[in-house]
Amino acid sequence: MNSLKIGVIVLLIGSTALAQSSANAESEDLYYKSLKIYLEENEKEYSKLFADRDFTKAIIMKDSFLPQNLPTSIGKYKVDFIDYEELRKRLKKETNRTLIVAEFGPLLNQGNKFIISIAEYHAKYERRKLSLGLSDGIRITFRFDCGREKFIFETFEFFGV
């Protein structure tokens, strides 16, 4: 009986440690950090201007360079990762609706700075085609701190078209 209890305790400790290391690795990922900053700062900046928009829900376009393990929720925010075909099908059902869709750009390296841009599009289905209109976005900058051996968030800036 005691060996069973010890086995269960070891299993619980191991699974907790694995979950914590996974969460730590996730929080160190630049795309994860960028997604979190995008969600939080976008709501702060625009929620008063667009009171009818639910900033706690985001649609992000899947991309080949985007990590597959990004979470579908971060705090109060819910994220839906979809591809162009899924977006087209969703909009085809609701032809009079426009969705805000975000798309990550690839990681850019400029010296010791690393930049990720996230562009927002107004997506519609019109004339039997998916239409994406670039509206604005956010550019997020990190730097690598050699002493701490990790990426440090430096700044962000919104951009428009």
Side-chain angles (χ1 to χ4, degrees), residues 103-120:
E103 184 172 45
F104 278 77
L107 179 67
L108 299 175
N109 180 354
Q110 293 182 346
N112 70 337
K113 304 228 188 254
F114 298 86
I115 301 167
I116 293 180
S117 295
I118 304 171
E120 279 193 342

Side-chain angles (χ1 to χ4, degrees), residues 84-99:
Y84 287 102
E85 184 59 27
E86 291 170 292
L87 178 60
R88 188 187 65 74
K89 285 179 183 176
R90 189 180 292 187
L91 286 167
K92 192 174 181 180
K93 291 177 187 172
E94 305 173 45
T95 55
N96 293 332
R97 187 162 178 217
T98 299
L99 293 177

Side-chain angles (χ1 to χ4, degrees), residues 33-119:
K33 287 181 177 183
S34 297
L35 177 60
K36 187 174 188 301
I37 291 166
Y38 162 73
L39 294 168
E40 292 170 350
E41 297 302 330
N42 210 32
E43 181 181 29
K44 283 181 200 172
E45 183 74 14
Y46 296 116
S47 61
K48 289 184 174 82
L49 289 171
F50 305 104
D52 59 336
R53 181 173 163 191
D54 185 357
F55 285 89
T56 63
K57 296 179 183 167
I59 299 173
I60 307 290
M61 297 305 298
K62 292 179 187 174
D63 231 315
S64 60
F65 58 83
L66 203 58
Q68 298 297 312
N69 63 342
L70 286 175
T72 56
S73 66
I74 298 174
K76 68 179 182 177
Y77 302 100
K78 303 294 178 225
V79 183
D80 192 10
F81 294 95
I82 64 174
D83 61 24
Y84 287 102
E85 184 59 27
E86 291 170 292
L87 178 60
R88 188 187 65 74
K89 285 179 183 176
R90 189 180 292 187
L91 286 167
K92 192 174 181 180
K93 291 177 187 172
E94 305 173 45
T95 55
N96 293 332
R97 187 162 178 217
T98 299
L99 293 177
I100 304 297
V101 180
E103 184 172 45
F104 278 77
L107 179 67
L108 299 175
N109 180 354
Q110 293 182 346
N112 70 337
K113 304 228 188 254
F114 298 86
I115 301 167
I116 293 180
S117 295
I118 304 171

